[in-house]
Amino acid sequence: MLMTALAVASCRQNPFFLEWDTPYGIPPFEEIRIGDYLPAIQKGIEEQDAAVKAIAENPADPTFENTIVALEESGRLLAKVEGVLLNLCESDNSPELDSLMAQVLPLLSEHADNISFNKTLYHRIALLYRQGQEPLTREQQMVLKRHFEDFEREGVGLCARDQRDLKALNAELSTKIQQIGNNILAENNAFRERFGISVSEYSDAMTTTEDRALREQMFHAYSMRGHNGGEHDNTQLVIDVMRLRIRKAHILGYDCPASYILENKMAHDPRTVDEFLAGIMPAAVAQAGREKAEIDRLAGFRTEPWDWWYYAEKVRKEKYDLDDEQIRPYFRYENVLRGAFLAAKRLYGIEMEEIPGVPVYNPAATTYKVTDADGSLLGIFITDPSPRTSKRGGAWMSNFREQYVDADGNEIRPIIVNVCNLQETLTVDDVQTVFHEFGHALHGLLTRCHYASVSGTNVTRDFVEMFSQFNENWAFQPDLLAEYAYNDKGELIPAELVEKINRAMTFNQGFMTTELCAASILDMRWHELSGLPEEIPDAGAWIDAFEADCCREAGLPDAIIPRYRTTYFNHIFGSGYNAGYYGYLWAEVLDKDAFSAFVASPDGPWDMALATRFRRTFLEKGGAEEPMTLYTSFMGREPLPDAMLRARGLRNF
């Protein structure tokens, strides 16, 4: 029996080395073992190294096909493995995966640097970029531009010593960033163990908890995550990461990380971002002051930060006769998701069909087939809504597989996942989260590009959030609510409740905008640093002082803290939004201005012809054109900067 078992084990092949004989090429999650990842990563690196060497040393003159297309085609195995591994580390993590990532991240970092520093390959790409590009399609020109700029920005022109330093620096950065994320997850779980709620339920709990002392305890525990000492403290890690990012910027010839990061974004430079945020903060703070006065009046005393959610809800009930307990019964998660699907069908003609029995990485996940109006496959959509200890906080969209056209001309459709941390019944903010993440999913599902590097959401950070936020505009359209907002008795949400919800949409937006803008400013201040003191004996105290200075300079009221404090700001220390968190507000200007075209349409927000033009202009194009070119082609002008402030009720129409 033992010999038979050993024989079977020895015959088993690594699933990543096989064509996946699963519906629609969904990863065979149940067949993948922890020991499969590292060999597959190593083989993927080996295969791409060989492909890159062949491209670089090709004796033929460089062409788009033998250089750029060949480079795009390289690394398919590596992308296959990373698509599974990196997603599971975020949504279904384990100590075994943490240990594996400690081995994998330095390998991936070194591999990426080896490609970025390949001067022979770069010279072929540079020759193509600098010669006439007239024979190329616009998408091909953008792909070529992206590869050329990536090489230039990642240090191909550095001397050997600087490249060695940068390699070591990048490897250390990847490891420390992963550790910060792991610590945040551990702190989130500690919060859950202490209070019996997930961090995603924090604002709801602060709204309903009558015990003021308990609210204060929850506030301090929530806002001190990663800043409590012990094994999950992030204070020194943050300092370490910022030293590395500053050093990297200097090696690459920039004065600070923000200058380097923003150079190829829509905003382009720190000054533009700072001026943009400075234009928002005063209006937000002024409105927050008016909201604070109402809260204090109702409370009968000078409220503290842990009182805001609780008394704001009471003000909302007083002003609009509306509270979450009235709303929740009509917004069960599965019904809200169906509402998002119905909106997409009415706008873009697409169909969503659940496909049971396919492989899933966790039993909580549900899989759907997405088809176009003509019945053709658009992609696979997975939703994973519930909180668990193995999942990081927040909500996000990701790809298990990108969309592209392969070397044989076959169109490979994407596999998209939306991951959230939601309860069975939702608040107004939760409903918007579902529509927001599905907006990202639509961007990934509807893309029609040839090359993975520009397909779907592969656009600049300050452009990508336009499409998720744009989709939120349909969440509370009365005629859509009539199709999905039912309680357990099958009763439709009352029209008067819908009216109350829509009248209250700008409620508390001074607070919401202030905390969001403050977090964006905090992000920028970190990444505008050109240096740190040589000795920081107490990292926690230094960070506290830095944050206090930043908040004071920004004019942040004492009653409000930034949406994310430094030590649990995963967006900027783990999710690639460093010097990019402003992008949510930046993209909201684009989203609200674009939505104004639907508001002005004789057919209203359900103008399918206009939605089709939006789909063709933006969602199908991905990064195959410059963002502002796409925007002006749709609107006929550049965006109006006041659109977001008006939508948030911070400026009169």
Side-chain angles (χ1 to χ4, degrees):
M1 292 291 292
L2 178 60
M3 293 300 292
T4 301
L6 289 172
V8 170
S10 66
C11 291
R12 178 184 177 274
Q13 287 187 279
N14 189 319
F16 289 111
F17 300 156
L18 303 173
E19 288 294 323
W20 289 339
D21 186 20
T22 55
Y24 311 104
I26 295 169
F29 297 108
E30 70 282 356
E31 296 177 16
I32 298 170
R33 301 175 186 172
I34 196 74
D36 294 329
Y37 289 108
L38 185 57
I41 290 282
Q42 290 169 329
K43 185 175 180 181
I45 289 173
E46 180 183 327
E47 287 187 0
Q48 190 169 29
D49 281 344
V52 167
K53 186 174 187 294
I55 297 166
E57 297 179 0
N58 187 343
D61 290 340
T63 65
F64 188 84
E65 289 294 324
N66 70 20
T67 303
I68 301 301
V69 173
L71 188 57
E72 289 273 330
E73 285 292 322
S74 73
R76 293 293 186 212
L77 173 58
L78 195 56
K80 186 178 181 180
V81 186
E82 287 183 294
V84 177
L85 176 59
L86 300 184
N87 273 296
L88 265 57
C89 283
E90 296 282 286
S91 57
D92 212 22
N93 202 4
S94 67
E96 292 79 14
L97 281 177
D98 281 346
S99 178
L100 173 67
M101 289 300 286
Q103 300 177 69
V104 163
L105 287 173
L107 294 178
L108 293 175
S109 176
E110 182 180 16
H111 174 59
D113 286 337
N114 286 339
I115 295 175
S116 296
F117 298 156
N118 189 318
K119 285 183 167 57
T120 308
L121 177 60
Y122 165 71
H123 288 314
R124 291 182 67 87
I125 294 171
L127 184 61
L128 279 174
Y129 183 74
R130 290 171 179 140
Q131 68 187 22
Q133 297 182 21
E134 291 78 8
L136 303 180
T137 67
R138 183 57 182 153
E139 181 183 349
Q140 289 173 336
Q141 290 175 4
M142 288 296 292
V143 171
L144 175 56
K145 177 176 181 283
R146 174 169 294 197
H147 282 292
F148 173 75
E149 290 181 348
D150 284 350
F151 271 91
E152 295 247 308
R153 286 171 50 76
E154 293 304 320
V156 70
L158 297 174
C159 66
R161 184 188 62 188
D162 284 345
Q163 287 187 348
R164 284 195 302 271
D165 289 348
L166 199 54
K167 272 188 179 182
L169 185 155
N170 286 337
E172 189 176 357
L173 260 178
S174 66
T175 300
K176 288 185 180 295
I177 287 169
Q178 180 74 12
Q179 191 175 348
I180 287 174
N182 290 344
N183 286 344
I184 294 171
L185 178 58
E187 291 279 88
N188 291 350
N189 288 335
F191 182 91
R192 181 202 292 268
E193 290 171 14
R194 180 176 175 185
F195 297 105
I197 60 169
S198 69
V199 293
S200 298
E201 298 171 88
Y202 168 75
S203 60
D204 294 343
M206 294 294 278
T207 298
T208 57
T209 300
E210 294 184 11
D211 186 335
R212 190 176 186 225
L214 179 57
R215 290 202 307 271
E216 183 177 1
Q217 291 172 29
M218 288 195 294
F219 169 80
H220 287 302
Y222 182 89
S223 62
M224 291 298 289
R225 286 174 293 150
H227 197 343
N228 295 304
E231 62 176 323
H232 302 305
D233 190 272
N234 275 337
T235 55
Q236 186 58 52
L237 281 167
V238 165
I239 296 296
D240 292 345
V241 165
M242 287 313 306
R243 286 194 194 281
L244 291 167
R245 286 179 174 170
I246 292 166
R247 173 63 180 148
K248 178 173 181 175
H250 291 170
I251 290 173
L252 292 168
Y254 297 84
D255 61 334
C256 66
S259 294
Y260 166 67
I261 293 164
L262 291 168
E263 186 181 48
N264 63 349
K265 306 300 187 292
M266 288 186 77
H268 191 262
D269 56 65
R271 180 178 177 180
T272 299
V273 176
D274 291 342
E275 290 176 352
F276 171 70
L277 295 174
I280 296 169
M281 196 65 168
V285 168
Q287 179 61 23
R290 292 187 283 271
E291 293 166 0
K292 177 69 159 56
E294 287 189 291
I295 287 169
D296 287 354
R297 172 189 59 78
L298 194 66
F301 58 87
R302 185 177 182 276
T303 54
E304 299 291 346
W306 48 89
D307 298 312
W308 193 295
W309 287 102
Y310 183 74
Y311 286 102
E313 183 64 10
K314 290 185 178 298
V315 170
R316 183 168 71 151
K317 188 171 184 178
E318 179 185 78
K319 289 185 69 173
Y320 300 100
D321 189 24
L322 182 68
D323 64 36
D324 282 340
E325 296 312 306
Q326 293 175 274
I327 296 168
R328 280 185 177 277
Y330 296 99
F331 293 112
R332 297 192 69 82
Y333 170 76
E334 59 270 23
N335 291 342
V336 174
L337 184 65
R338 185 170 62 86
F341 291 172
L342 286 169
K345 180 177 181 179
R346 290 178 65 177
L347 289 168
Y348 309 116
I350 68 174
E351 297 281 354
M352 311 289 295
E353 177 189 351
E354 184 177 345
I355 43 175
V358 297
V360 290
Y361 62 86
N362 187 286
T366 305
T367 306
Y368 299 85
K369 178 174 69 171
V370 189
T371 52
D372 212 341
D374 62 3
S376 60
L377 180 70
L378 285 170
I380 299 299
F381 174 65
I382 301 168
T383 179
D384 178 6
S386 307
R388 55 178 175 267
T389 58
S390 60
K391 182 192 290 186
R392 74 168 171 87
W396 63 94
M397 166 267 186
S398 188
N399 295 61
F400 280 102
R401 182 176 69 206
E402 301 273 8
Q403 180 269 329
Y404 62 94
V405 176
D406 71 15
D408 297 321
N410 302 307
E411 186 173 14
I412 308 301
R413 296 308 302 172
I415 300 174
I416 306 292
V417 61
N418 274 176
V419 186
C420 302
N421 285 271
L422 300 170
Q423 303 306 303
E424 289 186 9
T425 59
L426 309 184
T427 65
V428 167
D429 287 345
D430 294 335
V431 172
Q432 289 174 311
T433 294
V434 173
F435 275 75
H436 179 105
E437 298 307 333
F438 191 60
H440 280 310
L442 289 171
H443 198 187
L445 289 163
L446 298 181
T447 185
R448 291 283 185 188
C449 293
H450 277 76
Y451 309 101
S453 63
V454 296
S455 74
T457 56
N458 288 311
V459 300
T460 64
R461 284 288 189 192
D462 49 7
F463 191 46
V464 73
E465 296 298 336
M466 172 185 172
F467 309 102
S468 52
Q469 292 173 166
F470 179 79
N471 203 53
E472 293 179 37
N473 291 297
W474 279 268
F476 295 102
Q477 294 295 331
D479 49 352
L480 183 66
L481 287 171
E483 296 190 62
Y484 81 83
Y486 289 84
N487 63 18
D488 286 343
K489 298 177 182 178
E491 298 167 337
L492 174 66
I493 188 170
E496 59 270 23
L497 186 53
V498 174
E499 183 180 351
K500 290 177 184 178
I501 290 171
N502 281 300
R503 281 197 298 112
M505 289 302 287
T506 59
F507 174 73
N508 208 35
Q509 282 299 317
F511 170 85
M512 300 289 281
T513 310
T514 296
E515 63 160 10
L516 174 58
C517 195
S520 303
I521 292 169
L522 178 61
D523 168 32
M524 288 302 297
R525 294 298 174 270
W526 272 115
H527 291 94
E528 287 172 334
L529 288 173
S530 58
L532 284 166
E534 288 188 16
E535 296 292 334
I536 300 180
D538 186 337
W542 197 93
I543 288 171
D544 288 342
F546 180 83
E547 284 188 353
D549 287 345
C550 175
C551 292
R552 183 173 56 255
E553 290 172 9
L556 187 67
D558 292 341
I560 303 176
I561 66 170
R563 180 168 295 182
Y564 300 100
R565 292 191 65 199
T566 297
T567 55
Y568 56 92
F569 205 159
N570 192 63
H571 282 79
I572 68 170
F573 290 111
S575 297
Y577 277 77
N578 35 311
Y581 195 66
Y582 76 92
Y584 286 94
L585 289 165
W586 181 278
E588 192 175 341
V589 171
L590 306 177
D591 124 55
K592 295 305 180 192
D593 192 46
F595 183 64
S596 69
F598 287 80
V599 173
S601 167
D603 294 328
W606 301 107
D607 185 335
M608 195 170 185
L610 188 58
T612 298
R613 192 158 69 82
F614 185 90
R615 172 182 176 173
R616 300 281 185 261
T617 303
F618 293 113
L619 302 178
E620 292 186 358
K621 289 288 179 63
E625 182 53 274
E626 298 290 355
M628 193 56 75
T629 301
L630 294 178
Y631 192 87
T632 54
S633 71
F634 181 75
M635 291 296 290
R637 56 166 173 75
E638 292 194 355
L640 300 176
D642 287 352
M644 180 269 293
L645 293 177
R646 292 198 308 271
R648 285 179 174 253
L650 305 180
R651 186 161 296 172
N652 293 329
F653 284 82

